[in-house]
Structure formats: structure tokens, C-alpha cells
Amino acid sequence: MPPSPSQQERHEHALRNSAGYPPMTRLSPEVPAGTDPIIAIRGLDKTYASGFRALKPIDLEIRRGEIFALLGPNGAGKTTLISIICGIVNPGSGSISVDGHDVVRDFRATRSRIGLVPQELTTDAFETVWNTVSFSRGLFGLPPKPEHIEQVLKDLSLWDKRNNRILTLSGGMKRRVMIAKALSHEPRVLFLDEPTAGVDVELRRDMWNLVRRLRDNGVTIILTTHYIEEAEEMADRVGVINKGELILVEETATLMHKLGKKALTLQLHQPLATIPASLSDYHLALSADGTELTYTYDTQAERTGITTLLGELSGAGIRFRDLSTKQNTLEEIFVDLVRSR
Ligand SMILES: Nc1ncnc2c1ncn2[C@@H]1O[C@H](COP(=O)(O)OP(=O)(O)OP(=O)(O)O)[C@@H](O)[C@H]1O
């Protein structure tokens, strides 16, 4: 597999795009190749009026031009965190700056640099796609720029639907409209709150490609997700949040190396009473009824051990009727993380 491009290479690619004929609109023309963070969060603490403490002091820097995935289970505080950065929820204590502007003191300046795609679809069902997206731009006090709206709709494969009312669109297209709205005012940072929750595999792939293209055109992307494979596939870095606490921030490759375990489950032809001693090195788990053997392996290791395990099973006369593999779920990763703290 070719190595993935470094962030510097991507900056250079983005800058090259700005000079030539980019495949998409270059949405963030002033992205410098420097390394100063586009978002800096210092000591952010949030307690809701109910008394619930949703965020414990959080320090986090988002680099220009990266895709950052915020991973966490339900209720971890992901939406709270991005809502505070976007100025929708008041911060408690601490400070946040976006592109050098404080989100509280300089709300307008920061909000204009941010596009937010919320979890919920919030559009007027009877409006057309074109009007919906153009109206969003107007909300930022910007003059109309039909050529930009046209480019965004084309990039999102919505151009043919521009005169359709929202209510006639499929769920996937409605999600694209939400993204188009968020891009209408040419933001430098795009927040996607669970962009692929409940969407089918094909649309998920489309979304991932779209997000990568946006990043290649200079937009910094922050997405929240429950899906570890989404983070693995897309993000340059991952932050793991649990119970309001940012417990880890890591390059994705490093995180996957640490946590990228998979389980291989074999359904056996004949139930086994015990695991043969000759297989003890594999630390296999046998289900209570003896019909399933599970092997946990490291996806990043040079050798997963699967080939030799299958050979040894065959040598021991153990036959299987089916097999499946499963990535560790985020939940399991959390258990590991929390346990190891
Ligand atoms: N306005 C509010 N008042 C009181 N508590 C709130 C409020 N909004 C959110 N919470 C609580 O804060 C915690 C974090 O919620 P948040 O929506 O940020 O989590 P999340 O990680 O985005 O979860 P999900 O993945 O389910 O969207 C939850 O326990 C939630 O009930």
C-alpha cells in the first residue's frame, strides 16, 4: 500500500489546487502551510444548568488542514464540545480560539469561519435545494455568490436536484443538503456531527470520499463518530472522549496500532470439550457450548498468526464450517483504555 501523504504534502497539494483547476471549489483560500493550530481549546469545563458536568477540563489543538475524529459513546460530551466551539452552547470556564479569534468575545468572526453539519436534519421541507443553501449563506450576512453555491451543489452531486423541494429528496440527499448549507459561507473549518449515523454502506463511502476531497481543498474537518472504522478510514488524528473527559489524542495510525485488535471466530463442525494444549500459544477462547473458537489478533502486526493457526487446527483434526472476523468495538476499546488507566 502506498504511504498516506503527510500533512505537509496535503498542504502543498491544497496550495497547488488553488493555483490550478481544482476538482472542487477551494473553500479556504488562505490556508497557510504553517503549523499553528486553527482551533485552540484551553481548560474548557462545562457544567449544564441542571448541574450536570458534561466536560472536564479539556485541552486540545486542532491542526490546520487535518481531519480530526472525536470518538466516544453516547453521552460522552462530543456534541457539547462542538456546540461550544460553534457558539451554540455557552462555555463554562476556559477559552477557545478559532483562527486566532476568541469564540465568546469574537463570536461573529469565529462563527463565519465555521460550518456545522448537525446530527438532526433541520431544513424547511417545502423549500428548494437552491434556496435553502443560498439562504444559509445570507444568514452570515454575505452577499449572494451563485457561482459558489453552484460549485458546492455540483461537488455534492445535488446540482440536478437544485429546483427540487427538500421533502422530495432521499435521506442521503437531505444529508448532502445539510453539508451544502454548512459550506455555503465558505468556512475554513467544517464540523460534522455523526455524518454517517444510520446511513447505508454506499452512502457512508460517498461521505468519506467527499470529506477527503474537502480536506484536500483546504478545509479542516472535525467529525464525531461512534465508529472506530470511520476514524480509522478517514482521520489523521483521533481524540477519544468518555464521560466528558478527553482521555486520549493520538495519530490514527498510532492508535490503531495500539488498539487495532480483531477477533476471528470459527464455527466448529464438532463441539470441542477443551482446547488442545498444542494451540495454547494462540490464547484461544472456547464458547460455553464448545462450538466456537475465538482468536484475537493484532491487525497491525507483521504476522497476524491466522495462517499458521488454521494450519495447526487442521493438523489437530479440528474442522470448521464457517468463520467471521470482527473489529474491536469502540466500547471494547474504552473498556481497555479505562482499565489501563
Ligand atoms: N442542555 C443540557 N442540559 C443538561 N444536560 C445536558 C444538556 N445537553 C446535554 N446534556 C448531557 O450532557 C452529556 C453529554 O451530551 P452530548 O450530547 O454532548 O453527548 P454526545 O457524546 O454527543 O452523545 P451522542 O453520541 O449520544 O450524541 C449527556 O449526559 C447529556 O445528557
Side-chain angles (χ1 to χ4, degrees):
M1 228 171 56
S4 61
S6 68
Q7 208 176 350
Q8 181 64 33
E9 284 166 337
R10 281 201 222 98
H11 279 308
E12 286 165 4
H13 173 73
L15 292 172
R16 271 199 306 279
N17 269 354
S18 71
Y21 296 93
M24 293 179 71
T25 340
R26 190 168 154 68
L27 292 156
S28 185
E30 296 127 70
V31 175
T35 51
D36 63 315
I38 191 153
I39 296 178
I41 302 168
R42 311 244 183 267
L44 177 65
D45 201 299
K46 173 68 186 176
T47 301
Y48 280 108
S50 64
F52 182 80
R53 193 175 180 200
L55 296 177
K56 310 201 173 132
I58 287 192
D59 290 287
L60 175 65
E61 288 189 346
I62 304 293
R63 301 171 184 161
R64 276 178 205 277
E66 74 173 333
I67 299 180
F68 187 90
L70 198 55
L71 283 169
N74 287 123
K78 303 180 294 296
T79 305
T80 301
L81 178 58
I82 66 176
S83 301
I84 292 174
I85 303 172
C86 295
I88 296 166
V89 168
N90 285 328
S93 52
S95 69
I96 303 166
S97 69
V98 177
D99 215 10
H101 298 270
D102 184 90
V103 294
V104 177
R105 280 196 308 273
D106 238 345
F107 171 74
R108 275 174 179 275
T110 54
R111 192 63 189 86
S112 70
R113 286 165 168 78
I114 289 174
L116 169 64
V117 185
Q119 274 179 39
E120 314 285 326
L121 299 171
T122 49
T123 49
D124 180 347
F126 295 98
E127 216 22 288
T128 64
V129 170
W130 177 271
N131 287 349
T132 299
V133 178
S134 305
F135 180 70
S136 286
R137 180 180 172 89
L139 288 179
F140 286 88
L142 293 172
K145 194 172 174 187
E147 67 278 17
H148 173 67
I149 306 294
E150 176 176 340
Q151 191 62 54
V152 167
L153 294 183
K154 285 181 173 166
D155 292 340
L156 290 162
S157 308
L158 285 169
W159 183 240
D160 292 348
K161 307 281 179 195
R162 64 189 178 283
N163 296 320
N164 288 37
R165 288 175 176 203
I166 305 287
L167 74 125
T168 66
L169 302 180
S170 70
M173 283 174 193
K174 284 182 190 147
R175 271 181 192 261
R176 285 164 198 266
V177 173
M178 296 300 294
I179 298 177
K181 279 175 61 172
L183 294 174
S184 64
H185 62 288
E186 301 164 79
R188 291 173 200 184
V189 186
L190 184 67
F191 286 89
L192 295 156
D193 200 359
E194 300 195 19
T196 62
V199 310
D200 65 26
V201 177
E202 203 180 333
L203 183 58
R204 181 169 298 174
R205 293 264 154 212
D206 283 357
M207 285 280 181
W208 290 353
N209 287 332
L210 169 66
V211 169
R212 280 194 205 98
R213 280 189 291 143
L214 289 170
R215 188 264 314 272
D216 289 345
N217 282 280
V219 183
T220 304
I221 315 260
I222 297 152
L223 59 95
T224 72
T225 183
H226 293 146
Y227 306 122
I228 190 84
E229 79 268 18
E230 185 152 271
E232 183 180 9
E233 177 80 24
M234 305 251 305
D236 300 302
R237 287 195 306 150
V238 168
V240 177
I241 188 166
N242 190 28
K243 296 188 183 137
E245 206 181 338
L246 193 59
I247 54 180
L248 173 141
V249 176
E250 196 85 79
E251 302 286 331
T252 310
T254 315
L255 181 65
M256 294 320 293
H257 186 70
K258 283 187 188 163
L259 304 169
K261 299 258 173 65
K262 262 186 150 177
L264 166 71
T265 301
L266 303 163
Q267 265 108 43
L268 306 178
H269 247 285
Q270 302 289 335
L272 267 186
T274 53
I275 299 169
S278 61
L279 299 173
S280 63
D281 284 354
Y282 293 94
H283 306 289
L284 302 173
L286 185 63
S287 63
D289 63 2
T291 59
E292 281 189 358
L293 266 183
T294 300
Y295 171 54
T296 304
Y297 62 96
D298 185 347
T299 53
Q300 312 289 322
E302 207 163 297
R303 291 209 169 90
T304 59
I306 293 174
T307 313
T308 49
L309 170 65
L310 295 184
E312 292 200 30
L313 284 172
S314 161
I318 299 171
R319 292 170 57 221
F320 53 92
R321 62 174 84 239
D322 203 358
L323 56 78
S324 59
T325 62
K326 183 169 85 66
Q327 181 88 41
N328 265 358
T329 65
L330 186 57
E331 229 44 67
E332 287 160 340
I333 287 172
F334 269 116
V335 171
D336 271 3
L337 270 174
V338 173
R339 214 188 267 143
S340 64
R341 298 189 101 220

